[in-house]
Amino acid sequence: MSLSSVSSVRRPFAFAAMALLGLVLAGCGVNNVPTLEEKAKASWSEVQNQYQRRADLIPNLVETVKGFAAQEREVLTAVVEARAKASQVKVDASTITDPAKFKEFQDAQNQLSGALGRLLVTVERYPELKSNQNFLALQSQLEGTENRVTVARRDYIQAVQAFNTEIRTFPGVIWARLFWGAKAMETFAATAGAERPPAVKF
């Protein structure tokens, strides 16, 4: 038998062996790590999206309040500065595996939440502002956005928990180290009162 005919006989067996190996690896969960990683990254994008939505509402909110309560300059300035700081924090996919970057992001968002909370408490002193249609529309949008932020953070936390569990338990830990070089992702730490979204009652 010639070398070429031996090679042509072995070729189908080689393809069959590769296909079998692929099925075995797929059945062992080798794809779980990147699948869960992508889900966590998508959830992180939604967190960013909702925080951006909130940041986009703030200039209109500040301008509306300023029209009725310009003397509350200190509170208004604090909101504008907190928004600017939150917007300057550079965020990308590496943020979720870097504890320092993640903490910087969370601290900036917490500072903005606190400044917004102080602004909304200040509004209580201005009944005419509380009945302004522009303000009422912004209030409704802000309430909806805070709820979306809460849901997005919850979904992200769950996705990260699934990913981190996969890369720390057998057999995922093997695939994470051998194939993917996966790192644990960061998740949000609770702050005082974090069990509720910021108060936006008027």
Side-chain angles (χ1 to χ4, degrees):
M1 188 182 280
S2 72
L3 195 57
S4 64
S5 61
V6 168
S7 172
S8 64
V9 169
R10 288 185 180 168
R11 192 170 293 136
F13 290 115
F15 286 131
M18 287 174 53
L20 183 61
L21 180 62
L23 285 171
V24 168
L25 287 176
C28 291
V30 72
N31 290 325
N32 287 355
V33 172
T35 300
L36 292 171
E37 182 178 34
E38 290 307 313
K39 184 175 180 182
K41 285 180 179 178
S43 297
W44 173 245
S45 295
E46 185 58 20
V47 169
Q48 290 178 269
N49 183 40
Q50 295 308 327
Y51 275 129
Q52 184 61 53
R53 178 185 166 92
R54 178 174 75 167
D56 292 344
L57 286 171
I58 290 171
N60 289 335
L61 181 67
V62 167
E63 286 305 311
T64 302
V65 172
K66 194 186 291 183
F68 288 86
Q71 63 271 33
E72 304 291 350
R73 183 166 282 118
E74 185 180 325
V75 177
L76 293 167
T77 301
V79 172
V80 171
E81 288 175 355
R83 178 186 181 270
K85 184 175 180 183
S87 299
Q88 287 171 357
V89 175
K90 298 296 178 214
V91 179
D92 57 29
S94 71
T95 303
I96 55 180
T97 56
D98 183 332
K101 282 185 184 175
F102 195 89
K103 184 175 184 328
E104 183 184 6
F105 173 81
Q106 185 174 3
D107 288 348
Q109 294 300 333
N110 288 343
Q111 186 178 354
L112 180 53
S113 292
L116 262 178
R118 287 187 293 280
L119 174 66
L120 297 173
V121 166
T122 301
V123 165
E124 290 295 325
R125 293 184 234 153
Y126 301 93
E128 68 280 7
L129 172 58
K130 287 170 25 178
S131 64
N132 177 271
Q133 289 305 309
N134 236 2
F135 184 75
L136 291 173
L138 288 167
Q139 169 203 350
S140 176
Q141 290 179 54
L142 186 59
E143 286 174 346
T145 299
E146 291 297 347
N147 289 333
R148 288 185 186 97
V149 165
T150 301
V151 169
R153 282 176 51 141
R154 182 203 63 205
D155 291 347
Y156 170 75
I157 289 167
Q158 290 172 348
V160 167
Q161 180 185 19
F163 173 77
N164 286 349
T165 300
E166 179 68 21
I167 67 170
R168 291 179 177 146
T169 56
F170 185 82
V173 67
I174 295 169
W175 310 131
R177 290 185 184 167
L178 288 179
F179 290 104
W180 309 115
K183 294 181 190 175
M185 294 182 184
E186 293 296 310
T187 190
F188 291 98
T191 52
E195 65 278 3
R196 303 181 301 279
V200 287
K201 294 178 183 172
F202 299 93

